[in-house]
Amino acid sequence: MARIASYLLAAYAGAVLLSKGLEREGLLVCDCPRDCWCHRPGLSVFRWTFPVGHGGAD
Ligand SMILES: [Zn+2]
C-alpha cells in the first residue's frame, strides 16, 4: 500500500514538474480570470494538476 502511495506521489510530482515546464515554454497558457486561485503565489504549480474551479469556467 505504501509502495502504491509513493508511486502515485512520484507520478503526481512528475506531472506537476512537467506542467510547470510546459507553462514556462509557453505551451500551456492559463486564460482564467485574474482573481482565480491559481494566480496566488505557490498555488500556480497546481494549476494543471488540480484544475478544480479554474480555467475560466463561468
Ligand atoms: Zn486559474
Side-chain angles (χ1 to χ4, degrees), residues 17-46:
L17 290 176
L18 181 67
S19 63
K20 277 311 268 187
L22 291 175
E23 198 172 53
R24 193 165 48 234
E25 298 293 324
L27 297 175
L28 278 176
V29 180
C30 185
D31 63 347
C32 55
R34 289 193 74 75
D35 60 346
C36 179
W37 62 263
C38 77
H39 292 294
R40 296 187 186 196
L43 291 181
S44 64
V45 291
F46 301 111

